[in-house]
Amino acid sequence: MSTTTDVPYRLEFSVEVPGTPEQVWQAIATARGLNSWFLPTELEEREGGSLHFAMGPEMGSDGRVTGWDPPRRIAYEEDWAALMGKDPDALSPLKSEFLVEAQSGGTCVVRVTSSGFGTGAAWESEWWDDMGSSWRPFFDNLRLYLAHFPGQEATQLEATASHPGDAGALWSTVRDALNLGAEGATVEVRGATGTVERVGERQALVRLTAPVPGMLSVFTYGEGDGTAMAGVRAYLFSADAADHVRREQPAWQAWLQQLSVPA
């Protein structure tokens, strides 16, 4: 197996979203926007600026902006080796680019490309496959954000818990426990009401209407070693959102930890 970083990896897809190029740019190229549909983000909004994506209490990804052409193109690279705990020379930077193209009818197409070079180790291709399946659902968030909450700043709620077993069985437990129906169904999720906007593989997105408007993403994924994680991430848009998070985040955490997963 090669020990040099000459094995290419690439992920490329497009999404159509509502809004003007300026609205889309605000969502994808500012910390305020990214916080409202993606991960907690710190971003210096200029070419050469630093960025940081928070992926959990003790995990994050650092990088810098390498391309800045408002409202058409943003590019950045992350330290893939540091993110994976590898030797600095073991992996190339992870490069991403967003291109915004205006369409007729008040929509835009966002073309997303990520690429990098590794050594060809088996875990690398598995990581890229996992990244594709875990990253794409965020763009359902982006579409929903631009449709209902453009320009607004979110307060995030996040809770996760690990359980023995596989992600598929855990997802069935979570979906049944929350009574998540088909897309378009009206649901009540632990005291909150809303509409199911998207149901994917081990992931669902609900547009919340009360008591606080926003978006709720529910998901599971495999962690390896016979365990899987269940999680919720909400983006709330209201003057009362921070108080709601303080009350509800511990309750969500306890609920996730108490899930009963069939053996």
Side-chain angles (χ1 to χ4, degrees), residues 25-26 28-35 40-53 61-70 73-77:
W25 179 262
Q26 183 277 332
I28 67 171
T30 71
R32 176 190 176 104
L34 288 162
N35 276 312
T41 302
E42 298 173 13
L43 172 64
E44 292 181 340
E45 297 163 13
R46 60 177 176 83
E47 186 167 355
S50 64
L51 80 160
H52 175 80
F53 297 122
S61 181
D62 293 303
R64 66 183 183 91
V65 178
T66 58
W68 185 263
D69 182 17
R73 175 181 178 268
I74 180 173
Y76 58 85
E77 61 181 34

Side-chain angles (χ1 to χ4, degrees), residues 50 53 122 149 153 170:
S50 64
F53 297 122
F149 310 104
E153 185 173 8
L170 182 56

Side-chain angles (χ1 to χ4, degrees), residues 27-253:
I28 67 171
T30 71
R32 176 190 176 104
L34 288 162
N35 276 312
S36 298
W37 64 272
F38 190 45
L39 299 171
T41 302
E42 298 173 13
L43 172 64
E44 292 181 340
E45 297 163 13
R46 60 177 176 83
E47 186 167 355
S50 64
L51 80 160
H52 175 80
F53 297 122
M55 300 176 176
E58 299 179 358
M59 184 177 182
S61 181
D62 293 303
R64 66 183 183 91
V65 178
T66 58
W68 185 263
D69 182 17
R72 192 186 70 87
R73 175 181 178 268
I74 180 173
Y76 58 85
E77 61 181 34
E78 300 167 75
D79 191 337
W80 186 21
L83 177 63
M84 305 309 300
K86 302 293 184 180
D87 184 274
D89 296 327
L91 301 166
S92 77
L94 173 61
K95 298 182 178 182
S96 297
E97 179 185 63
F98 290 54
L99 294 175
V100 180
E101 299 177 5
Q103 306 291 296
S104 61
T107 67
C108 291
V109 169
V110 182
R111 305 191 187 282
V112 183
T113 304
S114 285
S115 60
F117 289 86
T119 63
W123 74 265
E124 294 172 0
S125 58
E126 293 173 1
W127 187 84
W128 278 86
D129 289 342
D130 288 343
M131 187 181 81
S133 61
S134 62
W135 202 21
R136 287 174 186 259
F138 280 106
F139 291 87
D140 292 322
N141 298 1
L142 174 62
R143 187 182 296 110
L144 190 60
Y145 171 68
L146 287 165
H148 295 278
F149 310 104
Q152 296 186 48
E153 185 173 8
T155 299
Q156 284 199 28
L157 178 157
E158 183 174 5
T160 60
S162 296
H163 294 272
D166 67 82
L170 182 56
W171 172 244
S172 295
T173 297
V174 170
R175 184 172 181 178
D176 290 348
L178 294 177
N179 294 315
L180 294 176
E183 292 177 10
T186 299
V187 293
E188 181 174 336
V189 182
R190 293 185 47 78
T193 56
T195 303
V196 178
E197 296 283 344
R198 178 80 170 90
V199 178
E201 184 179 3
R202 301 189 298 277
Q203 184 268 344
L205 178 63
V206 177
R207 178 167 65 89
L208 301 172
T209 53
V212 178
M215 309 184 298
L216 174 68
S217 178
V218 186
F219 53 89
T220 67
Y221 60 87
E223 297 182 294
D225 298 324
T227 64
M229 177 175 286
V232 297
R233 182 179 290 111
Y235 309 83
L236 305 176
F237 303 94
S238 162
D240 300 328
D243 288 339
H244 184 82
V245 169
R246 280 192 288 271
R247 292 193 306 269
E248 294 300 322
Q249 187 160 289
W252 270 109
Q253 186 66 52

